[in-house]
Amino acid sequence: MPTNPDPKPDDANPGDPKSGGTASGAVPDRPPAPKDPLAPNTRRIAGGLMDPRQLVTSFPGALRKLDPRLMFHSPVMFVVEVGAVFTTVSAIIHPSVFAWVITVWLWLTTVFANLSEAVAEGRGKAQAETLRRTKTDTVARRLPSGWKPGTRDPVEEQVSATQLRLGDYVVIEAGQIIPGDGDVVEGVASVDESAITGESAPVIRESGGDRSAVTGGTKVLSDRIVVRITSRPGETFIDRMIAMVEGAARQKTPNEIALNILLASLTIVFLIAVVTLQPFAIYAHAEQPIVILIALVVALIPTTIGALLSAIGIAGMDRLVQRNVLAMSGRAVEAAGDVNTLLLDKTGTITLGNRQAAEFLPVEGVGVEELADAAQISSIVDETPEGRSIVVLAKERYALRGREEGELADAEFVPFTAQSRMSGVDLTLPDGGIRSLRKGAAAAVMRWVREHAGGEGAAVGTATRAAGAIVDGISASGGTPLVVAEAMTSGDARVRSARVLGVIHLKDVVKEGMRERFDELRRMGIRTVMITGDNPLTARAIAEEAGVDDFLAEATPEDKMALIRSEQGGGKLVAMTGDGTNDAPALAQADVGVAMNTGTSAAKEAGNMVDLDSNPTKLIEIVAIGKQLLITRGALTTFSIANDVAKYFAIIPAMFAVVYPGLDNLNVMRLHSPTSAISSAIIFNALIIVALIPLALRGVRYRPSSASALLSRNIWLYGLGGLVLPFVGIKVIDLIIQFVPGLR
Amino acid sequence: MNDPLAGWLQILALVVALALSFRPLGDYMAYVLTSPRHRRTERLLYRLGGVAADADQTWAAFLRSVLAFSLVSVLFLYAFLRLQNHFPLALNTPAMDADQSFNTAVSFVTNTNWQSYSGESALGHLVQMAGLAVQNFVSAAVGIAVVAALIRGFTRQKTDRVGNFWVDLTRIVLRVLLPICVVFAIVLVASGVVQNFHGIQPVMTLSGDMQSITGGPVASQEVIKELGTNGGGFYNANSAHPFENPTGFTNWLEIYLLLVIPFSLPRTFGTMTGDRRQGYAIVGVMALIWAASVAIVTANELHSVSSSAGHTAGGMMEGKEQRFGIWSSALFAAATTLTSCGAVNSFHDSYTPGGGGMTIFNMMLGEIAPGGTGSGLYGILVLAIVAVFVAGLMVGRTPEYLGKKLRGQQMKFASLYILTTPAVVLTGAGIAMALPGERAAMLNPGPHGFSEVLYAFTSAANNNGSAFAGLSANTVWYNTALGLAMLIGRFLPIVFVLALAGSLAAQQPVPVTAGTLPTHRPLFVGLLTGVILIVVGLTYFPALALGPLAEGLR
């Protein structure tokens, strides 16, 4: 007997109100089909381009950030600012062109650092502004505290949305704004969520199930719902979103802290190196003015990365926001880069949402075209994706023209019901006889054949046995069999015959390019685990076809949780997506839990990211963004440190060649004069910050590849580049400023 | 004497000998540090000392044991030196002054062996044997014990225990250092190194002058001086003295002895972590820097000769022994400054600016190529952590080394470690240069004089102990300042290393995947070498510019 004849939806499938059972009894429409799931493979992860005007508009913000209390958070830039204060005082006491050039450029260095942060924040601010506009003070229609769903005509009171408390019930009707985050407890409505998702098509929100969550600030378009408020005022989803995109809630992430420690210690080392240089210099009869010593410190400490560090962090969050993913903390973004294991739901992520007809398998004695024709006719009115796929397959493979509903005269369509578990058509033949075609679950169709078979029991037995073998074969390969049968009744209803024609092989269609994606992830050291409600047989077949590393079949929320725990027990970081309330514990347990925006508020609360597009494939992109964020920091740190070599070759000979002429041999760039050399180094140091702002905001180029390949590429580019570039840059600046009188 | 073929052959023989010892010695030390079994003599010692030998310590307890042991050692040695005239075999030497006793006691306990006295005239035999030589053994063992704790930090998981200091110390002395020393002391005696209890012997020289020559138990001290990378000579002239180092063979053997443990410890590291390739990578970095350094010193001494006498001799022979010549002297100089040994067979003060500058730079690298016994490996591992951190970010993951994540806490300890020595060196030299009296202790003017002071503080803070000469360092100020530099330069880094070990041991390891930064490939060897050279080079470049560079660049 067929093992799993009933093609039920495999994954936790949101109960779509529109879904009715159809011929194949298969999955109803899933919410927004993932857009373009494969393209990121070839597309590089990058944010938008920087508009040069942003530099100008962010300038006032950059000046405001010069407040030492703010600067103190970045030890490197704080040292520069203190140095700038000293040189200013010194330049006032002993004015000279050189002293003022250094002073001005030191101030510019700090301003440029702040500018990078201001520009990064500015992009988020624009987004926050749009969000704030939706957060106009709405009036809520609150129901009395004792209200229970189902109560008729309750007394309402009008309160401001800010007065709503956890657990309050509010009524919203068509045209009104939902006053706060909550769950629908009564009714069903279409809601315009474009304010947060940017998606203009309305979505359905209804009580119960996994689509009950509504977000404050969105608009009800039709019907009436009652919502139980689940957030405190000021802590709503939109509030958090505004805080995140503005960077107000930004805290230093673990890697940022570690990097800051390293940068601070390098700063201290160079401070000591320069402070102790003065007694050495005095001994050498080359006492240095304070301006030059400060210039040397600023040139040596890692200002480039110090200046851009916070912009890189903000921009990383921003890149997620641009992809409609909202991270609740920077920590989560960083964890995404570290993920070892991805738990991916089968449906919608690995396979297209629906099964599709792949093959027609006739029983002996029936032509494949005959089967295809019967299958097509029985599917004409079947609007499910499975039904459509049968029509398409028949047309493409056997050139059977798709027939329209009206084309078949005297056809009576038999819709799918949960009881009959099959659908089909009854055709009245010209002689008054009836030709019935049925397709559906094997057991149901076989029973139907036996009932209509009349006297030819033995023949029917053979045919059903043959079909049974095909059905078993399909089930074993992980597919879903649909049996097609035909019954003929003569006009006088005396002659009856029925026979099985064959089987349609429905199978899950793995999205194109997924195997390559998984290979790529494997190269990055990430293991993929497919989560599915299918039986192990089906799961294995799809897992093999898609090329995932492992699968979890017949998965319950508890299984998922256990899997996450065991992976974490081995020191691995786990990322997953989820939308249902029963996903919430697993989302909370996972290191990166991406909740779908269509999901319940419990899921959104539990995860540390929310995908506004509700596209589970995006998890892969999130991982890439996390990695890119870390790579950008590492690359600019390397660049910054490598820069120092050239600066030494500019500044040290300038300081001491007077007393030790041999040291002029170190002046490999042949810089014009000591003052022009030092000025060039400082100017280069400041300008490189501005030059790298776009890179910091965009992130360095990242293509998924192995750690070795990434490392060697980045070392050559940013290590060697950082070594060579300043030699060129300082020389060019020197060629220009040597004409400034006073720097000769 | 200056025959290039002989020079190349001895380097080749040295490399072969070190390569042959790498595996057996490294694996043997790993066995000694991990074996659960105690020997009978060890059990007896533990019972006498009240040590719970089977109980591992937390990193803090381990540290307390290291510090307590070292403090007692300093006090004991200080008292010994102050009271040496009351003991037998004192050879009528007077008690040492307070400041010099402090300096000497600290110097030997910290494995530095900076000597502001001359051994043959200032010390009796008993204090040399029972005071200094004992510290030569245990201070070397302390270094290995500390690196053992750090390695356990990598290998263990979710524990606060990093090993037992007393067990490590006892086993390293009894099972590693003593047996090797007995064997090679006999070899040295057979090769002409003296070993007796003779006092001062008046000798009539060929030219008819009278000369006082001190005998003593030299060979037994000579061998641990090298093997433990201590460097404190029995005689003032150290390994240039014919009683300490009579022939080309003993010279070669001493270089081998001072390199063999530091170069074998990476194997111990690889074996204990269960991934020998990691050990090969580390030893690769050490060997690369060592080879470059030997090449630079030798080339400078052969070719950058400034004196006319040097041109006649075919190399810079000033300050070098005739019986060793350029090649053996340069090889010794590079090896002794790259380990924290500090024994010398020639005077670095008289080297060319390039060669002498290189010996300073060698020490500035932080004694990591291959470095002191134990301290070399933990030093390079800390630098590896910094390299892995930067490189790890560049592959897009939270950096991890040997499965342990490098986060704020780890970076804090690693950064503090790296900060300590440059801070001590530069601050010490800065203060010395700012004080007119201390500047006067320099025997040379100009950049060379500055190099002498820079060398002294670099040597002390990095626990090398060799002297550039040319600096009258036996003053209250230098004895005290350099003593403090040695103390801070030794124990502050140990604090950070053990804290790091504790923080690593507490972690759960991360599994290795294709996304993990590989730390055993040539790329990483190159990267780590680059990080070491750039981080150190950048820190000391201004100071070097005013010393050796100013002197050497014309």
Side-chain angles (χ1 to χ4, degrees), chain A residues 254-255 257-259 261-262 265-266 268-270 272-273 276-277 279-284 296 300 331 334 337-340 522-526 568-573 626-627 630-635 637-638 641-642 644-645 648-649 652 656 660 662-663 665-666 706-708 710-712 714-716 718 723, chain B residues 158 386 389-399 405-409 411-413 415-416 418-419 422-423 425-427 429-431 433-434 439 442 444-450 454 508-511 513-518 521 523-524 527 534-535 537-543 545-547 549-550 553-554:
Chain A
N255 278 318
I257 292 169
L259 183 55
I261 291 173
L262 181 68
S265 74
L266 284 175
I268 295 171
V269 166
F270 287 125
I272 295 174
T276 56
L277 186 59
F280 306 162
I282 294 171
Y283 166 76
L296 181 59
L300 295 182
R331 188 182 280 261
E334 239 179 49
D338 282 351
V339 160
N340 303 87
R522 204 168 299 119
R523 278 198 299 280
M524 289 157 68
I526 296 172
Q568 288 174 335
K572 292 178 176 166
L573 263 61
K627 285 194 179 294
L630 295 184
I631 294 174
T632 308
R633 278 194 203 130
T637 304
T638 311
I641 296 172
D644 279 5
V645 176
Y648 264 134
F649 278 96
I652 293 291
F656 299 117
Y660 298 130
L663 288 180
N665 290 328
L666 295 178
S706 73
S708 302
L710 277 175
L711 181 63
S712 64
N714 290 325
I715 284 182
W716 287 118
Y718 296 97
L723 215 53
Chain B
K158 290 181 160 180
V386 174
F389 180 76
V390 177
L393 287 180
M394 280 198 287
V395 303
R397 287 171 66 91
T398 293
K405 289 204 167 177
L406 307 178
R407 303 214 160 211
Q409 211 186 9
M411 288 318 292
K412 185 172 72 191
F413 296 131
S415 297
L416 285 170
I418 288 169
L419 199 59
V425 170
L426 293 170
T427 315
I431 294 173
M433 297 310 290
R439 272 210 305 265
M442 295 183 288
N444 292 77
H448 197 76
F450 170 62
L454 185 63
Q508 147 129 35
V510 185
T513 66
T516 312
L517 172 81
R521 302 250 175 88
L523 185 65
F524 182 74
L527 177 77
I534 286 192
V535 167
L538 292 179
T539 312
Y540 291 108
F541 190 84
L546 291 178
L549 285 178
L553 294 169
R554 302 246 176 245

Side-chain angles (χ1 to χ4, degrees), chain B residues 166 216 494:
Chain B
W166 305 107
I494 285 183

Side-chain angles (χ1 to χ4, degrees), chain A residues 303-320:
Chain A
T303 46
T304 315
I305 179 66
L308 297 173
L309 191 55
S310 90
I312 294 170
I314 299 171
M317 301 284 280
D318 193 48
R319 276 199 294 282
L320 279 179

Side-chain angles (χ1 to χ4, degrees), chain A residues 233-273:
Chain A
E235 292 175 21
T236 63
F237 189 66
I238 287 214
D239 288 319
R240 280 190 294 165
M241 207 164 150
I242 292 172
M244 283 320 297
V245 296
E246 279 195 324
R250 208 172 62 84
Q251 285 181 324
K252 287 205 173 97
T253 57
N255 278 318
E256 220 175 334
I257 292 169
L259 183 55
N260 252 318
I261 291 173
L262 181 68
L263 296 180
S265 74
L266 284 175
T267 306
I268 295 171
V269 166
F270 287 125
L271 267 177
I272 295 174

Side-chain angles (χ1 to χ4, degrees), chain A residues 279-619:
Chain A
F280 306 162
I282 294 171
Y283 166 76
H285 306 292
E287 185 173 352
Q288 296 297 316
I290 187 157
V291 176
I292 293 187
L293 290 176
I294 288 172
L296 181 59
V297 170
V298 172
L300 295 182
I301 61 177
T303 46
T304 315
I305 179 66
L308 297 173
L309 191 55
S310 90
I312 294 170
I314 299 171
M317 301 284 280
D318 193 48
R319 276 199 294 282
L320 279 179
V321 172
Q322 284 169 14
R323 279 168 183 72
N324 262 352
V325 176
L326 205 61
M328 294 304 162
S329 72
R331 188 182 280 261
V333 186
E334 239 179 49
D338 282 351
V339 160
N340 303 87
T341 308
L342 285 188
L343 305 190
L344 299 171
D345 277 334
K346 185 195 81 177
T347 306
T349 311
I350 296 172
T351 62
L352 298 171
N354 310 291
R355 289 146 214 254
Q356 301 206 335
E359 216 177 342
F360 296 116
L361 299 164
V363 294
E364 215 179 311
V366 179
V368 69
E369 305 224 340
E370 189 184 355
L371 171 62
D373 182 61
Q376 194 198 46
I377 293 172
S378 65
S379 304
I380 286 172
V381 292
D382 185 351
E383 290 299 331
T384 62
E386 287 81 357
R388 299 319 319 152
S389 76
I390 293 170
V391 175
V392 168
L393 183 72
K395 182 172 158 190
E396 285 181 353
R397 187 84 59 84
Y398 304 103
L400 295 175
R401 189 173 54 85
R403 273 159 286 200
E404 295 303 315
E405 200 176 331
E407 228 177 288
L408 293 166
D410 307 316
E412 190 186 326
F413 293 97
V414 181
F416 177 89
T417 66
Q419 283 73 38
S420 68
R421 291 165 68 201
M422 58 187 177
S423 64
V425 62
D426 291 336
L427 301 167
T428 309
L429 300 172
D431 65 354
I434 294 171
R435 182 186 179 212
S436 303
L437 292 170
R438 292 290 183 275
K439 75 165 200 287
V445 176
M446 303 266 200
R447 198 182 319 114
W448 180 81
V449 169
R450 261 181 238 112
E451 282 165 10
H452 289 75
E456 5 164 2
V460 168
T462 318
T464 44
R465 262 196 303 281
I470 300 172
V471 163
D472 286 348
I474 292 171
S475 299
S477 74
T480 306
L482 284 184
V483 175
V484 181
E486 179 192 50
M488 303 293 277
T489 312
S490 63
D492 51 9
R494 252 184 287 162
V495 183
R496 281 167 46 154
S497 69
R499 57 176 181 147
V500 173
L501 295 173
V503 187
I504 305 168
H505 184 175
L506 286 184
K507 64 187 224 178
D508 267 311
V509 177
V510 173
K511 290 181 183 174
E512 212 178 313
M514 286 319 276
R515 180 173 275 279
E516 289 71 37
R517 260 0 278 256
F518 294 134
D519 287 345
E520 195 174 78
L521 285 170
R522 204 168 299 119
R523 278 198 299 280
M524 289 157 68
I526 296 172
R527 211 166 73 92
T528 42
V529 181
M530 183 182 84
I531 308 286
T532 170
D534 290 339
N535 62 58
L537 220 54
T538 312
R540 179 181 303 280
I542 297 163
E544 272 168 18
E545 191 184 342
V548 291
D549 297 297
D550 204 353
F551 64 90
L552 184 65
E554 288 168 355
T556 62
E558 293 73 34
D559 293 341
K560 257 196 209 184
M561 192 70 175
L563 177 66
I564 294 174
R565 286 237 171 85
S566 81
E567 291 284 317
Q568 288 174 335
K572 292 178 176 166
L573 263 61
V574 182
M576 67 168 285
T577 58
D579 51 7
T581 299
N582 51 20
D583 281 334
L587 280 171
Q589 179 72 28
D591 301 281
V592 178
V594 183
M596 300 293 106
N597 191 47
T598 50
T600 59
S601 43
K604 285 203 253 181
E605 201 63 46
N608 46 19
M609 290 189 198
V610 176
D611 179 14
L612 301 175
D613 295 341
S614 305
N615 169 6
T617 316
K618 214 181 268 173
L619 194 49

Side-chain angles (χ1 to χ4, degrees), chain B residues 201-475:
Chain B
Q201 309 236 320
V203 175
M204 172 87 76
T205 64
L206 285 175
S207 54
D209 298 326
M210 288 302 290
Q211 199 179 348
S212 302
I213 293 181
T214 313
V218 178
S220 56
Q221 195 167 332
E222 188 68 20
V223 66
I224 187 62
K225 175 187 105 178
E226 317 295 355
L227 186 70
T229 63
N230 293 285
F234 192 92
Y235 296 104
N236 187 36
N238 211 305
S239 286
H241 196 290
F243 284 4
E244 284 199 21
N245 189 7
T247 67
F249 169 70
T250 56
N251 189 62
W252 181 89
L253 184 63
E254 287 181 12
I255 299 173
Y256 166 77
L257 285 174
L258 70 87
L259 290 173
V260 69
I261 289 184
F263 262 130
S264 299
L265 275 170
R267 171 73 179 191
T268 312
F269 168 67
T271 302
M272 281 175 77
T273 53
D275 185 357
R276 298 217 162 106
R277 299 172 307 174
Q278 305 291 346
Y280 292 131
I282 295 291
V283 84
V285 176
M286 289 176 167
L288 210 61
I289 297 176
W290 181 81
S293 178
V294 169
I296 292 172
V297 176
T298 310
N300 268 292
E301 295 315 294
L302 283 174
H303 305 300
S304 306
V305 185
S306 51
S307 69
S308 56
H311 284 296
T312 323
M316 193 69 181
M317 279 304 291
E318 184 192 320
K320 299 189 179 71
E321 283 289 303
Q322 283 297 325
R323 65 183 188 284
F324 301 136
I326 303 287
W327 288 79
S328 302
S329 300
L331 184 60
F332 201 114
T336 196
T337 47
L338 277 170
T339 60
S340 77
C341 183
V344 288
N345 75 347
S346 54
F347 285 86
H348 302 170
D349 191 24
S350 306
Y351 274 46
T352 59
M358 196 62 206
T359 60
I360 301 184
F361 189 72
N362 282 345
M363 292 187 292
M364 286 172 170
L365 290 177
E367 306 294 15
I368 41 94
T373 48
S375 61
L377 183 58
Y378 65 66
I380 204 167
L381 288 178
V382 170
L383 282 163
I385 283 175
V386 174
V388 167
F389 180 76
V390 177
L393 287 180
M394 280 198 287
V395 303
R397 287 171 66 91
T398 293
E400 63 213 32
Y401 189 38
L402 298 170
K404 296 299 175 94
K405 289 204 167 177
L406 307 178
R407 303 214 160 211
Q409 211 186 9
Q410 287 74 34
M411 288 318 292
K412 185 172 72 191
F413 296 131
S415 297
L416 285 170
Y417 179 99
I418 288 169
L419 199 59
T420 306
T421 338
V424 174
V425 170
L426 293 170
T427 315
I431 294 173
M433 297 310 290
L435 298 173
E438 275 54 52
R439 272 210 305 265
M442 295 183 288
L443 301 182
N444 292 77
H448 197 76
F450 170 62
S451 295
E452 288 165 357
V453 173
L454 185 63
Y455 193 106
F457 279 93
T458 308
S459 172
N462 285 291
N463 299 132
N464 181 280
S466 68
F468 211 40
L471 181 71
S472 308
N474 186 19
T475 67

